[in-house]
Amino acid sequence: MVRSRVPTRGRRAAVPRACGLLRLCGFRCVSTNKYPRGINRWSARGAEGTLGSELRQRFQNMTHLSPTQRVGRLLHALRGSASLVWVWEARLKGAQVGRSARFFGRPIISAAARSHLAIGPGVVLVSAARSTTLGAFQPCVLRTLEPGARLLLGRNVGLSSTVLCAGLSIEVGEGTLFGAGAMVLDNDFHVPEGEFGWRDECRANARPIRIGRGVFIGARAIILKGVTIGDRAIVGAGAVVTKDVPAGFVAAGNPAKVYPPRSPAGPSEPTTG
């Protein structure tokens, strides 16, 4: 019986192409072997980026869970294995994606020409419906809308079904978390035209937004143009924030009122202004 074999020259020619694709997807080589066996020794930058390490971690933390919960955790880990594809797609669209960033489900990402869209190391984007406790009713949306616009996500930022659209500038600091359905919009998107018409406009009426480090933004909250939120501030679920929130303060309501940090003496009163 004659066995067909792939020519050695063909296999060796395919290795550089495969290695280039792995590097583009954020992998690094941990093997000293040059040819096919070395391919099996590639791993994602940051140990948490590999499917094997993800599954091992899930198994170690599941001893107290029910069988149904264990299945759900494993399926979540498997969804994360497709992260490399979505990261690769984001880079092809012009976004800068840091090491160990993970995408659960396919986000919507678009970058205008000559704009800057950067996703920092360790950022997590949750777009799959079953990958978050509240359910992701839509994918994450990250867009720079005009040339020169900037959208920057710092290290370890977490987003669930979150929309960030920058006509001018949106900056999010390290460790900030966004609840399901939160939106950050630095412009009005439209301006009146004629007697009853509207025209698309994302730059002329835009004002920069800056969100500090370690901020928590609740589900369905909306951050509007020109707002600065200080480090460790909290924005309540459903809040519509139109003015600055100092570091450590709490914003809640529509329109949002700003409350100082809670003291042991009792509940805080909203600030004026």
Side-chain angles (χ1 to χ4, degrees):
M1 180 178 179
V2 178
R3 296 182 181 179
S4 61
R5 295 185 179 181
V6 178
T8 301
R9 181 180 301 177
R11 293 201 305 269
R12 292 190 175 186
V15 170
R17 291 194 295 269
C19 293
L21 179 60
L22 288 169
R23 288 194 182 95
L24 185 61
C25 292
F27 277 69
R28 63 183 177 87
C29 184
V30 296
S31 173
T32 58
N33 298 332
K34 185 176 180 181
Y35 289 116
R37 292 184 180 179
I39 294 179
N40 297 326
R41 298 288 302 281
W42 286 75
S43 66
R45 291 168 177 162
E48 68 276 15
T50 62
L51 177 58
S53 62
E54 180 84 9
L55 292 175
R56 285 195 298 272
Q57 184 178 1
R58 296 283 175 181
F59 274 118
Q60 292 170 0
N61 297 331
M62 288 195 301
T63 56
H64 64 289
L65 300 179
S66 69
T68 302
Q69 289 175 316
R70 294 178 186 180
V71 171
R73 293 288 181 89
L74 289 176
L75 290 175
H76 179 68
L78 290 173
R79 291 186 198 103
S81 65
S83 175
L84 298 172
V85 177
W86 310 138
V87 167
W88 178 64
E89 180 186 46
R91 288 173 174 160
L92 288 178
K93 291 181 176 180
Q96 296 180 5
V97 184
R99 295 182 179 183
S100 67
R102 291 183 294 171
F103 297 178
F104 294 93
R106 184 185 184 187
I108 297 174
I109 295 177
S110 63
R114 301 185 301 281
S115 65
H116 184 41
L117 198 165
I119 300 171
V123 169
V124 176
L125 272 60
V126 177
S127 301
R130 298 179 181 274
S131 292
T132 181
T133 304
L134 295 181
F137 65 92
Q138 67 176 32
C140 291
V141 179
L142 305 179
R143 297 187 188 275
T144 53
L145 304 172
E146 296 288 339
R150 300 166 67 247
L151 175 51
L152 310 178
L153 302 182
R155 182 184 300 271
N156 298 329
V157 169
L159 300 89
S160 297
S161 295
T162 305
V163 177
L164 294 94
C165 291
L168 180 59
S169 176
I170 297 175
E171 297 183 27
V172 181
E174 175 181 354
T176 289
L177 295 181
F178 292 84
M183 298 202 304
V184 183
L185 314 170
D186 75 346
N187 67 94
D188 297 332
F189 295 95
H190 307 285
V191 294
E193 184 176 57
E195 188 175 3
F196 299 111
W198 294 90
R199 173 173 57 85
D200 292 343
E201 177 56 68
C202 300
R203 187 59 180 259
N205 54 30
R207 293 166 57 196
I209 294 175
R210 185 186 180 281
I211 300 174
R213 298 168 296 180
V215 176
F216 182 87
I217 297 177
R220 313 299 195 270
I222 302 175
I223 314 299
L224 295 179
K225 64 181 185 179
V227 167
T228 296
I229 300 177
D231 296 345
R232 279 299 183 188
I234 297 174
V235 176
V240 179
V241 183
T242 60
K243 59 184 179 180
D244 293 351
V245 182
F249 277 53
V250 177
N254 179 11
K257 294 182 179 180
V258 178
Y259 298 82
R262 184 183 297 272
S263 65
S268 304
E269 294 296 329
T271 61
T272 58

